[in-house]
Structures are given as structure tokens and as C-alpha cells.
Amino acid sequence: MSKFVNQITFITGAGSGIGRATALAFAKAGAQVVVAEVNEENGRKTVEQIQEMGAGALFVRCDVAYPTQIDAAIRQTVDAYGRLDIAINNAGIGGKYGRLVDQTQEDFNQIMAVNVGGVFYGMQAQIRQMLLQQKDETLTNGNQLTPPQPAGGKIVNVSSIAGVRGMPMGAPYSASKHAVIGLTKTAALEYVRQNIRINAVCPVYTHSTMVDELINTAPGMEERMRRMIPLGRFGQPEEVAQAILWLCSDENAFCTGQALQLDGGMTAG
Ligand SMILES: NC(=O)c1ccc[n+]([C@@H]2O[C@H](COP(=O)([O-])OP(=O)(O)OC[C@H]3O[C@@H](n4cnc5c(N)ncnc54)[C@H](O)[C@@H]3O)[C@@H](O)[C@H]2O)c1
């Protein structure tokens, strides 16, 4: 599958789990991937894995809790490749496992800064760049009789099944992932005429560092989590990656403002 040949694809949190699987899947499909990560060692490892596949990738250090770092990362992307076609706002943290009254202001603020701020400021920087590209293209094609089709762009934000239902012992996390869906739907409506399609994915428990941490919070936790999923297993990062690719593909051009639940049937009942 080479659906994304030379598409410049910016992915946050691509040093691990779902982000890394998504980076590898886009690279395999022909994209030029920008790995934006706060963990430099892991981010560079993803870049190495992509290069071993014979594809190109760039590492940019970026803590998504800081808008200036996101702006700088998008600037570095454009300096290197000249444009931005696809952005995946995936970086996220799970936060503290505990009841609502035991969550501190610091716990709440940290998760909001990364999980919500990362998506909000991420989309601001990404959409600004995508709009700029359209202006350039309109100027170049300005003397044609038919108005040029806006080049547009695609954005996928990584929410969670905790973004569509409550998550006992994770109130700030659940609130942050609900917010990601609100941002996704609103931005999708605001930029639909500019041909920027914006969707979200909402995975249930998926094998990753984040889920391993949750599993280790109590004995028997893994089994309890597994029983909540009708399919009887956790998701794989590669399965989430494939859904993200599909959301970004041109075959899926009519889909925007959606929050796709990848939950082994959990919310069907
Ligand atoms: N694994 C799951 O079960 C699951 C389920 C639903 C949603 N999610 C969401 O998927 C996304 C990816 O999580 P994962 O499961 O792959 O976890 P992970 O911990 O394996 O990966 C998260 C990555 O984000 C990076 N990151 C964290 N804070 C960052 C910051 N401030 N700036 C830049 N990068 C940062 C980490 O270094 C790490 O590489 C998260 O948004 C998470 O909330 C995960």
C-alpha cells in the first residue's frame, strides 16, 4: 500500500506505542514522517526503524505542553519538507490513578496541558500552515478559469474510549479525552470549506507503556480490564494505526468531524 507517497506527516508522541506504530505504518505507505517527541531516545529509535525500512524520517524534539515548542516543531517540518499534509496529535499521558477528590490541581493541570493543550495548540499550528499552503497554491493558480480545489489537509486526534464514557479513577484523563472530541468536531466544522478533514480515534485498552502502567496498579487488574472488552482482548497499536491511516486516506474523503471508536465492541452494548 503506497497511498501516502511523499505526504508530509507530522506525528506527536511517535516514540512509543500507538504513535510509533502509526509512524511506521505511514512510512510503509510512502509518507515522509516527522517524529515529534519529548523523549529524544525513543523518538530517534522510531526514526531509525523507519530508515531501516528504506524510508525517510525526521526527529524533532517537542513537548506538546508548550505551544512555542509545537510552533517550532511545525516550523522545522516546513523548513525540512516545504509543507505539511497530515498531522496526528497522539502524544498523551494517563495521569494519576485515583478518585476525583484525590486528584490535585497539579495532576489536573498537567493532564490538561498535555492531552488538551497538545491537541488545541497542535491544531492551531497545523491548520495555520495548511491554510498558508492553500493561499500559495491559489496565487499560483490564480489565472485559471475554474477556481482551484483547496489542497486541504488531514488531522487525526487521539482521544480514547474514556472520551465517550466515564472512567472511574481517571477523572482528569476522561475529561481531557472528552475535550479532544469537542475540539475535533469544532475544528472540523470550522475548516470543512478549506478541505481540512479532522477526525478522532477513541481506542480502548491497547498494548503500550501507558496500559502496562495501569495494569501494574493492582493485582488482577489486567484480567478485569480484559473482561470489559467483548472481543476478549486488548487492541494492538498497529490496529489503531490502520484506522488512523484509513481516516487520512483519500478514499475516505467524505468523513470529517467523527470520533471513531476502536473498542472491541465495548460501547455497542
Ligand atoms: N494505550 C491505550 O490503551 C490507549 C487507549 C486510549 C487512548 N490512548 C491514547 O493514545 C495516545 C498514545 O498513547 P500510548 O498508549 O501509545 O502510550 P505511550 O505511553 O506508549 O506513548 C505516548 C507517547 O507520547 C509521548 N509524550 C508524552 N507526553 C508528551 C509531551 N508532553 N510531548 C510530546 N510527547 C509526549 C511519550 O514520550 C510517549 O512516547 C495517548 O494520547 C493516549 O491517551 C491510549
Side-chain angles (χ1 to χ4, degrees), residues 16-18 37 62-64 90 158-159 173 177 203 205-206 208 211:
S16 168
I18 293 169
E37 244 299 341
C62 172
D63 184 336
V64 300
N90 160 79
V158 179
S159 175
Y173 182 78
K177 293 300 185 177
Y205 305 124
T206 303
S208 74
V211 152

Side-chain angles (χ1 to χ4, degrees), residues 14-16 20 23-24 35 42-50:
S16 168
R20 175 177 283 171
L24 294 174
V35 172
N42 287 348
R44 290 197 185 280
K45 221 173 274 169
T46 302
V47 168
E48 270 171 37
Q49 289 183 11
I50 291 175

Side-chain angles (χ1 to χ4, degrees), residues 6-267:
N6 294 332
Q7 296 278 295
I8 312 306
T9 304
F10 176 90
I11 309 177
T12 67
S16 168
I18 293 169
R20 175 177 283 171
T22 304
L24 294 174
F26 269 106
K28 197 171 167 200
Q32 291 286 331
V33 175
V34 180
V35 172
E37 244 299 341
V38 71
N39 182 323
E40 183 154 356
E41 195 184 334
N42 287 348
R44 290 197 185 280
K45 221 173 274 169
T46 302
V47 168
E48 270 171 37
Q49 289 183 11
I50 291 175
Q51 287 167 345
E52 279 162 18
M53 292 162 47
L58 173 74
F59 170 76
V60 295
R61 199 194 169 281
C62 172
D63 184 336
V64 300
Y66 297 91
T68 50
Q69 291 195 24
I70 300 179
D71 286 346
I74 295 294
R75 237 183 354 261
Q76 276 176 268
T77 302
V78 176
D79 285 349
Y81 296 115
R83 57 183 293 115
L84 173 71
D85 300 300
I86 295 170
I88 314 299
N89 293 305
N90 160 79
I93 53 173
K96 189 164 86 184
Y97 184 77
R99 286 185 196 279
L100 190 132
V101 296
D102 298 323
Q103 303 275 354
T104 65
Q105 188 177 16
E106 197 188 345
D107 295 331
F108 181 80
N109 287 344
Q110 192 198 10
I111 213 158
M112 289 297 155
V114 177
N115 292 8
V116 184
V119 172
F120 178 76
Y121 295 111
M123 285 203 292
Q124 275 197 336
Q126 294 147 10
I127 291 170
R128 279 187 187 127
Q129 175 57 33
M130 288 168 180
L131 294 176
L132 212 62
Q133 289 165 194
Q134 290 180 2
K135 220 184 251 170
D136 288 351
E137 277 153 32
T138 309
L139 285 176
T140 338
N141 296 316
N143 57 358
Q144 292 180 359
L145 285 177
T146 42
Q149 169 78 4
K154 292 122 191 174
I155 298 178
V156 174
N157 298 319
V158 179
S159 175
S160 166
I161 215 66
V164 292
R165 50 186 290 175
M167 181 183 164
M169 311 298 272
Y173 182 78
S174 181
S176 74
K177 293 300 185 177
H178 274 76
V180 168
I181 295 178
L183 287 171
T184 301
K185 289 181 177 177
T186 303
L189 290 173
E190 287 184 358
Y191 295 99
V192 70
R193 290 301 173 95
Q194 284 75 28
N195 202 23
I196 301 175
R197 289 197 297 108
I198 307 174
N199 291 290
V201 287
C202 306
V204 76
Y205 305 124
T206 303
H207 286 291
S208 74
T209 315
M210 188 181 283
V211 152
D212 288 347
E213 281 168 12
L214 192 58
I215 285 169
N216 293 330
T217 52
M221 187 67 149
E222 185 171 0
E223 193 41 41
R224 279 212 301 281
M225 287 158 68
R226 207 189 308 279
R227 273 204 300 265
M228 293 164 70
I229 306 171
L231 260 178
R233 64 171 178 85
F234 290 2
Q236 296 293 343
E238 293 75 16
E239 293 173 317
V240 180
Q242 285 308 316
I244 293 174
L245 253 70
W246 176 71
L247 284 172
C248 293
S249 69
D250 287 338
E251 285 80 356
N252 200 21
F254 204 48
C255 177
T256 195
Q258 299 304 304
L260 178 63
Q261 296 171 29
L262 304 163
D263 65 357
M266 183 192 261
T267 51

